[in-house]
Amino acid sequence: MRPSHGIVVLFMGFLGCLLMLTSWQGAQPGNVPLQFSVVYERLLQAEQRGEALTHELRKVLAQLQSRSAHSNLTCSQNTAKMDKRELPGFFSSQPNALLHLPHLKQHTDSLKPIIHLGQGRSGVPLVIGVPTVPRQKQSYLVNTLQSLLYDLSPAERKDIVIVVFVAETNATFVNSVVQNVQNNLPDDVRSGIIEVISPSLHYYPDFTDLKETFGDSKERVRWRTKQNLDYSFLMLYAEDKGNLYVQLEDDIIAKQGYVEEIKTFTQEVFSQEWLYLEFSQLGFIGKLFRSSDLPMIVEFILMFHKVKPIDWLLDHILWVKACNPEKNSAHCNIEKAKLKRTYKPSLFQHVGLHSSLMGKMQSLKDKDFGKQVLFKSHHNPPAELNSSLKHYQTHTLEGAYRGEDFFWGLTPKKGDYIVIKFSNPQTVKGFLFRSGNIETNGDRFYNTTVEGLPVHSTVKEKVERGELPCCKPSTGGFVVMGFFKNGVAAGDVDEELQQLSAIRLLVHSDSDVWVLLSEIQIKV
């Protein structure tokens, strides 16, 4: 064991004292090294015992913190019981937050989030924040999350965490959002890529005494003030979870490949001076910040959360940091632009028509978003196509197979099928069928198998006898090779199947939605 710097210094000091002592007492020089060795060994043993004691104390402290957090998991008697876990510890910015939210001084734990879903993922390159609130007509949240997850690679799925902040204290609504996310995206919740949190019962102040400003109604002032507090809470939570933070809304769609484009652009400008990067020009959508800047931004928002909406406050931060009062507005705009880098084309588009503000309709669109690529083409072997599903308008199965369009079929029923009959038998190595697309991600295949029709009867007989572990028998001589999971069916074809004369998609239960095939790939 190598001694620490502190123990070496202590030993050297003790060595000097011992030399003086031995010289005073007339000790024999030959005995001094032995004395040094004994003292040094005792000091090392003392250090080891000290480290062991420190380890034990840390374990006890962790147990006490865990018990303390558990004891705080109580709800008001007037609130429905929620399955929740509280994040131990306080936010680093808590003391400053209490200055601007004095009502929290009586409930300091109110800055702790209630964690409903998640695996505690942290230390990732990118954190995505998605606040959600009740809407008068419809919720866009699940579609937004599906859009963000649509074509992420396995590596990208490990590099991000999407935090859904249910900005509401009503237990019924919170639980409905939690169940909706859990039911629709169970694998993503289980993997830790999605978290769902909500604030404590005491987080929001009394909004009845807000001053009406800028000609806004009292209800609109309340709405924008609460929105400022929602963003602040979410940013504080995200601060310690990753290196970069992107602010989104719950009614957007993302462009395919958005994670890679964000990564590339941030690497290009990372060493330069900027406050935020803009991946959408609408409001507060698609704004990316360094996590290290979030405490300062939250501090500014909280100082003026009752005064102006969030996008105005963000512009004021730029003014404070960049503008010289002795120069004109043109110079100010140039300097602000250096701190706000805009990426084009935009990576996020607003799609919600019904605002969270009661009665407000909004058809905001980012003109720089452009058109989405709604299908992906592949070169497939010649084949004759047949399906029991009726296609919608011009979105035919033939066009999708040739890579010219996507296939869009009316609601599938049990027994519906798509058959790809090869012009010549093919030695198929693998397959990929992707249902849904970035804009219509809910129109997927559910409870549907991918099946192959072997050319050789001996192969079919082996499958029926259970001698080929790769596959199970189906009807009409077909064998099951795979199935759709989360809208995608992909896999390799076992070599023992040899050549196939056809591939079939077979639906095993009625669906509530249409079905869309955006990618068909037969690997030969």
Side-chain angles (χ1 to χ4, degrees):
M1 176 179 177
R2 183 180 179 182
S4 66
H5 176 72
I7 198 69
V8 170
V9 172
L10 180 60
F11 176 70
M12 293 303 293
F14 191 84
L15 176 61
C17 294
L18 187 59
L19 284 171
M20 294 175 61
L21 183 61
T22 53
S23 64
W24 288 344
Q25 294 180 343
Q28 296 297 322
N31 295 334
V32 172
L34 177 62
Q35 294 171 352
F36 291 166
S37 176
V38 172
V39 173
Y40 184 75
E41 184 64 30
R42 289 178 178 176
L43 286 173
L44 286 179
Q45 293 174 358
E47 182 182 36
Q48 292 171 351
R49 288 195 297 269
E51 290 176 349
L53 180 59
T54 300
H55 179 71
E56 291 299 320
L57 288 173
R58 285 175 178 169
K59 288 174 59 177
V60 172
L61 180 60
Q63 292 173 357
L64 291 174
Q65 289 176 335
S66 176
R67 292 177 182 176
S68 176
H70 179 74
S71 66
N72 288 329
L73 297 181
T74 56
C75 248
S76 170
Q77 293 181 351
N78 298 323
T79 305
K81 185 177 180 180
M82 294 189 243
D83 178 22
K84 64 196 178 198
R85 301 187 304 276
E86 288 199 53
L87 187 71
F90 293 94
F91 291 125
S92 58
S93 303
Q94 181 183 354
N96 292 338
L98 295 180
L99 291 176
H100 310 297
L101 302 173
H103 69 284
L104 294 182
K105 292 180 180 178
Q106 297 178 355
H107 306 281
T108 53
D109 285 356
S110 293
L111 285 175
K112 293 180 181 178
I114 301 171
I115 303 175
H116 302 272
L117 298 174
Q119 302 299 324
R121 180 182 291 193
S122 62
V124 296
L126 185 65
V127 181
I128 299 174
V130 181
T132 188
V133 294
R135 292 180 183 269
Q136 187 179 8
K137 295 290 185 180
Q138 69 181 103
S139 171
Y140 305 93
L141 176 62
V142 170
N143 286 339
T144 293
L145 296 177
Q146 290 174 337
S147 174
L148 292 171
L149 296 165
Y150 175 69
D151 67 339
L152 295 182
S153 68
E156 289 171 341
R157 285 178 170 270
K158 295 179 181 179
D159 283 346
I160 71 171
V161 58
I162 302 172
V163 181
V164 177
F165 174 55
V166 189
E168 179 60 62
T169 56
N170 178 279
T172 301
F173 175 73
V174 173
N175 285 330
S176 69
V177 173
V178 172
Q179 288 302 314
N180 197 21
V181 173
Q182 178 68 69
N183 293 340
N184 284 279
L185 301 162
D187 294 336
D188 301 297
V189 170
R190 194 178 303 112
S191 70
I193 193 174
I194 291 181
E195 295 188 4
V196 179
I197 66 172
S198 68
S200 105
L201 295 171
H202 306 291
Y203 175 63
Y204 296 109
D206 182 2
F207 292 114
T208 59
D209 62 345
L210 295 174
K211 181 181 178 181
E212 297 177 25
T213 56
F214 305 109
D216 287 341
S217 65
K218 185 176 290 293
E219 181 59 27
R220 189 179 182 90
V221 172
R222 178 196 176 280
W223 171 73
R224 76 186 195 209
T225 300
K226 178 182 176 297
Q227 195 175 58
N228 287 339
L229 296 179
D230 295 342
Y231 288 125
S232 299
F233 192 100
L234 185 48
M235 286 180 173
L236 285 176
Y237 176 74
E239 177 191 346
D240 294 326
K241 296 191 72 66
N243 301 327
L244 300 170
Y245 174 77
V246 174
Q247 182 65 62
L248 294 179
E249 296 287 356
D250 65 350
D251 56 352
I252 60 97
I253 58 173
K255 187 160 289 183
Q256 293 187 54
Y258 74 94
V259 170
E260 180 61 30
E261 293 195 49
I262 288 176
K263 177 182 177 182
T264 301
F265 188 62
T266 52
Q267 287 177 342
E268 291 176 359
V269 302
F270 196 81
S271 61
Q272 302 173 22
E273 183 181 3
W274 49 268
L275 180 65
Y276 67 91
L277 307 180
E278 191 173 55
F279 294 96
S280 172
Q281 298 187 57
L282 293 178
F284 208 46
I285 296 173
K287 306 303 184 279
L288 180 145
F289 307 91
R290 294 184 178 93
S291 295
S292 57
D293 288 331
L294 291 178
M296 179 273 295
I297 293 169
V298 170
E299 176 89 2
F300 193 94
I301 293 172
L302 290 179
M303 286 175 65
F304 304 103
H305 71 278
K306 300 179 182 180
V307 182
K308 290 185 177 181
I310 188 74
D311 48 342
W312 291 12
L313 292 178
L314 187 60
D315 185 72
H316 288 324
I317 297 177
L318 293 178
W319 192 97
V320 171
K321 291 180 71 69
C323 295
N324 186 339
E326 298 179 352
K327 295 185 180 293
N328 58 28
S329 59
H331 180 270
C332 177
N333 290 334
I334 293 174
E335 295 302 309
K336 286 197 298 183
K338 296 177 182 178
L339 298 181
K340 180 186 73 171
R341 309 294 180 89
T342 301
Y343 179 85
K344 294 184 180 182
S346 299
L347 300 183
F348 306 101
Q349 177 66 287
H350 179 263
V351 295
L353 294 177
H354 303 281
S355 170
S356 56
L357 177 61
M358 185 73 69
K360 180 185 177 184
M361 298 288 293
Q362 51 187 16
S363 55
L364 299 174
K365 297 294 180 183
D366 191 329
K367 63 182 185 340
D368 291 317
F369 184 73
K371 291 185 178 181
Q372 281 275 51
V373 178
L374 301 179
F375 63 94
K376 189 171 183 178
S377 63
H378 295 281
H379 179 72
N380 292 312
E384 178 185 339
L385 307 175
N386 185 26
S387 177
S388 62
L389 294 167
K390 184 178 180 180
H391 66 268
Y392 175 67
Q393 294 184 350
T394 61
H395 303 292
T396 65
L397 183 59
E398 289 76 12
Y401 190 76
R402 292 193 299 265
E404 300 169 353
D405 194 5
F406 56 85
F407 167 70
W408 208 356
L410 303 187
T411 310
K413 302 296 181 183
K414 181 179 180 180
D416 277 333
Y417 60 85
I418 290 176
V419 174
I420 302 170
K421 183 179 180 181
F422 302 119
S423 301
N424 297 300
Q426 299 288 328
T427 303
V428 180
K429 298 178 181 178
F431 58 86
L432 168 63
F433 297 92
R434 188 185 300 276
S435 60
N437 61 27
I438 199 76
E439 290 189 353
T440 316
N441 200 28
D443 289 357
R444 300 178 172 186
F445 272 114
Y446 299 92
N447 196 15
T448 300
T449 52
V450 180
E451 304 176 352
L453 183 62
V455 172
H456 304 290
S457 59
T458 55
V459 175
K460 300 176 188 178
E461 293 169 358
K462 286 184 177 179
V463 172
E464 291 175 354
R465 293 195 299 266
E467 296 176 4
L468 293 184
C470 68
C471 313
K472 295 182 179 179
S474 183
T475 59
F478 282 86
V479 298
V480 178
M481 303 184 300
F483 57 92
F484 279 83
K485 183 178 181 181
N486 294 330
V488 178
D492 297 325
V493 176
D494 197 291
E495 292 181 357
E496 294 188 73
L497 290 181
Q498 301 179 24
Q499 290 185 319
L500 300 178
S501 59
I503 288 180
R504 177 175 72 180
L505 306 185
L506 184 61
V507 179
H508 295 275
S509 60
D510 294 352
S511 178
D512 296 328
V513 295
W514 290 12
V515 67
L516 186 151
L517 270 178
S518 58
E519 190 171 359
I520 302 175
Q521 182 182 19
I522 309 298
K523 304 174 184 177
V524 295

